[in-house]
Amino acid sequence: MNRRRFLEHIAQTTALPTAISLAGCSSAPRLNVYNWSDYIAPDTVANFERESGLRIRYGTYESNQEMLAQLLGGNSGWDVVFPSADYIGPLRDLGLLAPIRHELLTNLDSLDAEFRTPPWDPALQWSVPYMYGATGILYQKQLVPAPQSWADLWNPAWSGKVTMLDDAAEVFGACLKKLGYSLNSGDPSELRAAAEEAGKQKPLLRAYLNAEVRDQAVAGDVAAAQAWAVTAAQAIAAAPERLAFVYPREGFVRFADNMAILRESRRVEAAHRWIDYLLRPPVAATIVETTRTATCNGAAYALLPESVRKDPVLYPAADVLKRGEWLEPQSKGSQRLRDRLWTQMKSS
Amino acid sequence: MKRALPLYAAFAYLFLHVPLAILAIFSVNASRFTIWDGFSLRWYRAMFADRDLLESAANSLIIAVAATVLATVIGTLAAYALWKKASPWLAGSLYLSLVTPEIVTGISLLAFFQWIFRYLHLRLGMHTVILAHVSFSIAYVVLVVMARLRSFDVALEEAALDLGETEFGAFYRVTLPYLAPAIAAAALLAFTVSIDDYVITSLVAGVDSRTLPMVIYAMARRGVNPVLNAVSTVVVAGLGGLILISERLRKA
Amino acid sequence: MTSTPANRLRAFFLTPVATVMLATLGVPLAIVTAYSFLSRGPYGGVEMPWTEENYTRLFDPLYAGIFLRSAWVALLATAGCLVLAFPLALFIARSGARKNLYLALVILPFWTSFLIRLYAWMFLLRDTGLINTAFISLGLIHAPLPLLYNEGAVLLGLIYGYLPFAVLPLYATLERQDPVLLDAAADLGATPWRALFRVTIPLSMPGILAASILVFVPCIGTYIVSDLLGGSKTVLIGNLVQNQFTSSRDWPFGAAASIVLIVAAIAMLLLMRRSREELL
């Protein structure tokens, strides 16, 4: 046995693992889709794969920040993502988005008129609206008195049973509304006041949860929660006799999640096919029925059964909707301040 | 004291094992809540139907095997060389990799990969995860192999050299066989550390290399999910079985 | 260094590990250090100019408070682990032929996924979890106890997760102790308890120190336990660092906090060196 034979031995033992790891690189043609959790019907992906011959890798996230953190490197590997409206501007400014080619989308006109020219992307150059929603309060019906406003979530009687979303824009939004200011305020004194309110609420809270709160509300662990309408609708569907949802009196966040293609994607045509597929009215209608989301797709909305179309949680009356405010991207300085206040509040 | 100790030990073992036993029991509960509703294997069926879950399990295994082999080889050679003559820098860096908190290791690796990928046009994937795992496993391997080397009589190697072996030959034919049990133990340790890692993996995994801990964490965050009970039972049984088998092999 | 066959072999054997360590430890840490002196990009990432603002910000009582709180939680977890592990290690060391079996039984949960064990505790501790459901159905309590989403739950999770890390070094030290010493103590009139405190424990100091460090260091950097069992309310240093790289988008600040963490870990390392327990 000499050193050369030993080297050969080592090479053989390590060749296999190295080969295995490199093998992972050459895979079947795939489209990588990164979406919110529970935002698609169980068979949508399978149906699309069957029809198009493409393979979808479908990943999920729980927050915009989680999604953004992955994308910042510029080579995350994802092709299609679903950012909220207030992230479209920043993503575009960071150069992370690829332009949407309308000629590849045959179903674009099935979008609801409001979402055909949305305020955050009037020409739909970078995004295609997918689902919209709002943030309100999900609560147990047995709670007396029933919560009607954000201020109610500061009730010390419910200490330990209330949750808020784990999102600075949402929590500060609720606090700003409680104080009577605009959700999108960039005013430092208003923001500080809001942060102070959030700080006062923190000891009363059970936890900061996003969509995770759904199962806990259904199980009865949580009495009241700041929740997205989508999450609430899903929870109520699972336990209709126990849960209810309300759009707070002071006002609330309206958001819309959009489909966007990343500039780094090398499968732009395939990405457009996926987006076009999701725009198809029957497909969108199926998704809405299984996941209880509010679709931006007007043609799909028309296909829905009356009970769903009239659902006050997902499609509230116009006068309720008027109290809502769309979340807008912040200026650099305002974003910095908000981030810093969030860290401070969470750390205290 | 004679009676207190075994009694205490019994409670300690209960404390250690009961949570896992409970998960196993409820993994065959028909109901998804904590009320017993009859025996059912539906959660196991759901587990095997989850493509994402199975793929991540396969990824975890591939990564663990690759990282274990590489780390064991590199670590064993390193341990031997360090035993022959210490190197404060290298030993220090190995210590550092052991005591650096995982979040810091993960973030520094992420920063490193993102910086270097600007020039190499690669992206995060199985290879980055394997590299990360090799990196933090080496220290464990060196630890275990070194411990065994300390009880090795260097005179045996010297005897081999006197009899005409090369340096390398002495290592290969005298020391290495002696180290075999330690190398096996080190490999087992590296495998476990790799297959269970979440923090570092979640930061450096790409789109195609989600591992089982990442999927488990995502599911655990969303609340109690009986499929997770099934997963945990399978994992415990699997790894437990592996341990028992390796114990049997060791004694044979 | 002369180029003898021995030295050449040694250099050859050390090259792989040196390369890996440099690439995955040296360079990354250098990058993080560089980041810690830069400024934050608007949505994450780093940009010029250089600044020491990130470090000075850490001296703010708020963040100093987080460091102290994390150290305190880690200390409590370490103490808990030591107290629980010592008698167990003692039992195993004195159990004669069955030693390996008992040791394997301690290690077995450790081999299984840490996340799964945390999840098991979530399952047990929730308001509608097993413990509360059992107590309520037995009539012991009427409303569920808030067992989850507080610092106590985090502590429990840490102790449960790192107990085996404490048992192993303690067992290693205890196993090596000569039983003759205990006989001598008995001859001199000490009760078994007295002998424990006057003989066994002092002799086990190296093991106790090793166990402390093996538990303390991971605990001080933990973030998953406080995420899953603490409900994102308890912010420890690990959470702070992780948040800076995701929701708060302040990489340089996160990098600075990371460097401080490493420095603390190195300080622990130097402490271990003094215990003369040579690991490497």
Side-chain angles (χ1 to χ4, degrees), chain A residues 1 6 10 13-14 17 20-21 32 38 56-57 62 66 75-78 212 215 264 266, chain B residues 51 55 62 66 69-70 73 77 114 117 122-123 126-127 130 168 171-172 207-208 221-222:
Chain A
M1 171 56 59
F6 181 73
I10 295 273
T13 21
T14 53
I20 289 177
S21 72
N32 297 325
D38 290 318
I56 299 269
R57 175 185 302 287
E62 306 289 337
E66 210 180 303
N75 60 352
S76 63
W78 297 109
E212 302 99 326
D215 291 339
E264 52 165 290
R266 286 172 242 168
Chain B
R51 205 175 76 181
E55 203 177 311
I62 295 175
V69 171
L70 287 169
V73 169
L77 298 181
Q114 283 185 340
F117 285 165
L122 288 174
R123 46 171 58 140
M126 299 280 265
H127 43 287
I130 292 179
F168 180 77
F171 163 71
Y172 190 78
V207 167
D208 289 324
R221 256 170 79 185
R222 316 208 53 226

Side-chain angles (χ1 to χ4, degrees), chain B residues 34-54:
Chain B
T34 40
I35 343 149
W36 183 257
D37 200 31
F39 186 91
S40 163
L41 287 176
R42 59 187 280 215
W43 308 116
Y44 287 90
R45 276 198 292 269
M47 181 179 85
F48 284 111
D50 189 336
R51 205 175 76 181
D52 202 27
L53 194 63
L54 295 176

